[in-house]
Amino acid sequence: MENKFILALDQGTTSSRAALFDHAGNIISVAQKEFQQIYPHPGWVEHDPQEIWSTQAGVAAEAVTKMGLNGSSIAAIGITNQRETTIVWERATGRPIYNAIVWQDRRTAAYCDELKSRGLEKIVRAKTGLPIDSYFSATKINWILNNVAGARERAERGELAFGTVDTWLIWNFTQHELHVTDVTNASRTMLFNIHTLDWDEELLAAMDIPRNMLPQVRSSSEIVGHTKSTVFATPIPIAGIAGDQHAALFGQMCTRAGMAKNTYGTGCFLVMNTGNKPVESKNNLITTIAWKIGDQVTYALEGSIFIGGAVVQWLRDGIGMIKSASEIEQLARTVPDSDGVFMVPAFAGLGAPHWNPHARGSIFGVTRGTTSAHLARAALEAIALQSYDVLKAMEADLGEKIAELRVDGGAVTNDLLMQFQADLLGVDVVRPKIIETTALGAAYLAGLAVNYWASIDEIQGQWKQDQRFSPSMDAAQVSNYKKGWQRAVTASIAWADSND
């Protein structure tokens, strides 16, 4: 095993990545490819499932072959993925019947309102830990069944399969043999009972979804099967599966109750380990499964922010204010503050703790003196301010303050953002040496299943701190930021409400 490697497949919202890890938890090879974002209508977001598969298979092969290795050098594959994104395909051919409907997609917001009007909110929350929202997979499945010709009848006959992205990748890697998911991805569908660990018949009936479409649910760390695709000539165990935020929590080694991490990716996802019992949120957070290893289920509280790093992509691609995402910190540093400008990046509605699918992006406080640098700074501050809202809700649910916040994801290389986050939260923000903790978590889960690593205790020692950001901003200044932000969020929601 010492001479072998773990291959982590990290299928994200904007790109597919693959990373090879050695026994010390170091990345020795990485490959990445972006893919097309499809926006058929305002608020709709889709991906081509075949492009998801082809880019992921391509980077998997590239990461291995550019090191002069082959499938026999790989001890196991761990898969982590964008969650909630919904794919329905034909069992006979493996062909998708519609594009993947992405987690950011809001087309089912009206249907969610209808489910709430039927009094289902409490039932859904009690069984799944989730609010009723178009973010999750269930209403996306329902939409496909109702809007693709013949889909509902075909589903009733058992001809169609549903999967989140992990399921779709495994289906293809095993040449249509395995239709499986893990508890973390299942827990994001709004159809999975996180207490019984099974698909819930009452919810399936309420949302008119045939059970025969759904994959078998496995743990997050076990050998579910072996690859059979042409990507690798040698069969490789598929041994780890976890949704991206669950994998990141594990990769950050937040293995004790009360430990928390925030991932700054396309969205921001603040997750706290709550131990072996689910904590019901009173503050609009999500109760979810962190992972299942062996017979032990670990639960978590999560706050999902739909637009994090995506606001920087918008400044780059949408309005051409910067040429690359890395330019934003330099631009933002040319001014001491945002000069009273607040940006609410509700491009896909507001996530936790507001859960308002109708809210839209807004910028407040603009004057004749506002420059691109002020907008850049306001965009970065918005990422941290949204995270502040979530952490405060989390602390209210637990009745205690967190000791520190571990951070990961592409945006954590931005020191300005990390320092501002520490200032807002009033606790240390800690960046690890390996910020690709999503892929690392998937690798750890797979490696544990094949005894590449003997135990969690063994890998605990591999987590290393890169930099610690401690609060330093004047308390009055912090208070002004928080007050301004609350005004901006309230105004953004009011604008959406007035459009009814």
Side-chain angles (χ1 to χ4, degrees), residues 254-268:
C254 293
T255 53
R256 295 189 307 277
M259 296 182 74
K261 69 88 199 171
N262 196 14
T263 298
Y264 299 78
T266 303
C268 287

Side-chain angles (χ1 to χ4, degrees), residues 382-393:
I383 297 171
L385 284 158
Q386 290 179 101
S387 299
Y388 166 82
D389 281 351
V390 171
L391 192 72
K392 290 297 119 182

Side-chain angles (χ1 to χ4, degrees), residues 374-439:
H374 293 117
L375 290 176
R377 191 145 189 145
L380 291 179
E381 290 171 353
I383 297 171
L385 284 158
Q386 290 179 101
S387 299
Y388 166 82
D389 281 351
V390 171
L391 192 72
K392 290 297 119 182
M394 209 167 266
E395 289 180 340
D397 276 337
L398 290 174
E400 59 186 71
K401 196 172 173 68
I402 66 159
E404 66 179 25
L405 181 67
R406 294 186 174 186
V407 296
D408 56 79
V412 301
T413 56
N414 189 315
D415 288 357
L416 180 66
L417 172 59
M418 293 299 99
Q419 183 58 53
F420 185 67
Q421 188 72 85
D423 290 336
L424 277 181
L425 298 178
V427 298
D428 285 2
V429 168
V430 187
R431 181 170 66 203
K433 284 195 177 295
I434 296 180
I435 62 170
E436 299 297 344
T437 53
T438 305

Side-chain angles (χ1 to χ4, degrees), residues 45 52 105 128 223 336 437 461 487:
V45 190
I52 289 176
D105 190 281
T128 69
I223 298 172
T437 53
R487 284 176 63 204

Side-chain angles (χ1 to χ4, degrees), residues 450-470:
V450 297
N451 294 317
Y452 187 79
W453 291 288
S455 66
I456 292 175
D457 286 343
E458 181 187 347
I459 56 181
Q460 192 89 43
Q462 294 187 357
W463 188 90
K464 298 283 191 300
Q465 175 182 312
D466 171 57
Q467 190 166 344
R468 182 176 289 268
F469 299 86
S470 297

Side-chain angles (χ1 to χ4, degrees), residues 171-200:
W171 172 268
N172 283 288
F173 269 114
T174 61
Q175 291 188 344
H176 306 179
E177 182 180 287
L178 283 179
H179 185 214
V180 299
T181 189
D182 88 303
V183 290
T184 69
N185 281 291
S187 75
R188 313 298 297 196
T189 59
M190 222 164 75
L191 298 170
F192 188 74
N193 190 313
I194 62 171
H195 311 284
T196 65
L197 303 183
D198 196 8
W199 301 114
D200 192 272

